[in-house]
Amino acid sequence: MKLQRKNRLRAITAGALAVSGVLVLTACGSDNNNDSGGGSKAASKIKCDGKGQLLASGSSAQKNAMDLWIKTYGAACKDTKLNYKATGSGAGIQEFLQGKTAFAGSDSALKPEEVKSSEKICKGGKAVDLPMVGGPIAVGFNVPGVDKLTLNADVLGKIFNSEIKKWDDPAIKALNKDAKLPSLKIQAFHRSDESGTTDNFTKYLKAAAPKAWPHEPGKAWEGKGGQSADGSSGVSSQVKQVSGAISYFELSYATANSIKTVDLDTGASAPVQATVENASKAISEAKIKGTGSDLALDLAYDTKADGAYPITLVTYEIACDKGNKASTLAATKSFLTYVASEDGQTSLKELGYAPLPTEIANKVRESVKSLS
């Protein structure tokens, strides 16, 4: 059963990854009802509102979720066309702040200066963070002859800061006594674009291994050396192709590309795998640090709880609390209402994402309802 589920998940995510980076929701025929996640049933519950074109861009980590949401929403709301460009979190925020999109996707909450800048676009209001997608950031590796690998934050920090350079380094051997580690150069890949995935990954390194990772967390890569590629699809492709490679990306990219992932030694009773369930445990420890309609979260990157996988991200949809464009407000609220719904959230499990904890999801639904 476990193998069947894994194969099914791989097939679904591979199909999602095959979709173009520009996701177009249009009037769809009966094919939209043939989705294995029960899309036609979910579509019947969606309340459509507004019509025309809805533009959005940002996080590539949520691209596969957007694929699925758009397919299901499109089966119900044929008068709305949604273009979502997976440009990366930094570019998505920039386009939103320039007034080019109805909402943005970002794997990091807005900075204070970005909130201030949003007041020019959100007439009488400001941009708010609405968490929608949760899940693990997998650390994928390609080491010949090694199927299982355990690392900790200290070793990961030194690998990505070019201090540990060979796979048979004593620090890696100490965590993998039964593995046959080759004397092979480590090829560490990071994101070339400004990325919320990078921000969350480096927040983990800084929180769990501050001595090994002396750099400040951020969307732009600050580590020494290494190689770069664009987007989650770019770095995951490099790991798939390059012997000795290692990188970080959202779990569904590892699943779709059959990439092995690192187990984390967090100090818990046993190493923790990158799974939806284990990420959910870590995300459930998050605290809301935003105020009002803003629901920015403080994630527990340094958790040592048994079974809690700490390298997690939450992707936010960013919209104006007040002052959204009249031409797109109704459709924006309709789509985000579905995304935050129980159906929208539970459908993500098959793609390797973690549905939001119930308490947080309820607050998101209230915030979406209040958008004006």
Side-chain angles (χ1 to χ4, degrees), residues 252-309:
S252 69
Y253 288 87
T255 306
N257 289 289
S258 301
I259 295 171
K260 300 178 184 70
T261 60
V262 167
D263 294 345
L264 291 180
D265 181 346
T266 64
S269 61
V272 187
Q273 293 182 326
T275 68
V276 171
E277 293 76 17
N278 293 345
S280 292
K281 269 191 180 177
I283 293 172
S284 68
E285 296 182 28
K287 293 179 173 58
I288 295 174
K289 61 181 180 181
T291 57
S293 298
D294 186 89
L295 300 175
L297 301 176
D298 191 5
L299 296 172
Y301 297 105
D302 58 351
T303 180
K304 292 180 174 59
D306 284 348
Y309 183 84

Side-chain angles (χ1 to χ4, degrees), residues 23-38:
L23 311 177
V24 184
L25 184 160
T26 57
C28 302
S30 60
D31 286 350
N32 276 334
N33 296 325
N34 296 330
D35 108 45
S36 61

Side-chain angles (χ1 to χ4, degrees), residues 22-139:
V22 178
L23 311 177
V24 184
L25 184 160
T26 57
C28 302
S30 60
D31 286 350
N32 276 334
N33 296 325
N34 296 330
D35 108 45
S36 61
S40 58
K41 189 175 180 181
S44 66
K45 299 179 182 180
I46 295 171
K47 183 179 181 298
C48 301
D49 203 358
K51 58 178 63 177
Q53 191 171 34
L54 199 62
L55 300 179
S57 66
S59 165
S60 63
Q62 72 167 356
K63 175 187 176 294
N64 300 334
M66 276 288 178
D67 282 8
L68 183 59
W69 283 332
I70 284 172
K71 181 178 180 181
T72 305
Y73 186 82
C77 305
K78 304 181 189 300
D79 291 332
T80 305
K81 184 168 71 173
L82 174 63
N83 287 0
Y84 181 81
K85 296 182 296 180
T87 55
S89 298
I93 291 173
Q94 184 178 25
E95 288 194 331
F96 176 77
L97 294 178
Q98 292 170 346
K100 295 179 179 179
T101 54
F103 66 91
S106 175
D107 306 325
S108 299
L110 291 165
K111 297 176 182 177
E113 59 268 28
E114 291 170 336
V115 175
K116 182 66 178 173
S117 179
S118 73
E119 294 174 3
K120 299 173 185 176
I121 301 301
C122 306
K123 304 300 183 185
K126 63 182 186 303
V128 290
D129 302 287
L130 304 172
M132 290 291 185
V133 182
I137 299 173
V139 179

Side-chain angles (χ1 to χ4, degrees), residues 149 270 319:
L149 185 69

Side-chain angles (χ1 to χ4, degrees), residues 172-186:
I172 301 177
K173 279 186 172 181
L175 294 167
N176 299 274
K177 294 179 180 177
D178 296 329
K180 295 181 179 178
L181 296 162
S183 183
L184 177 68
K185 182 181 178 182
I186 294 174

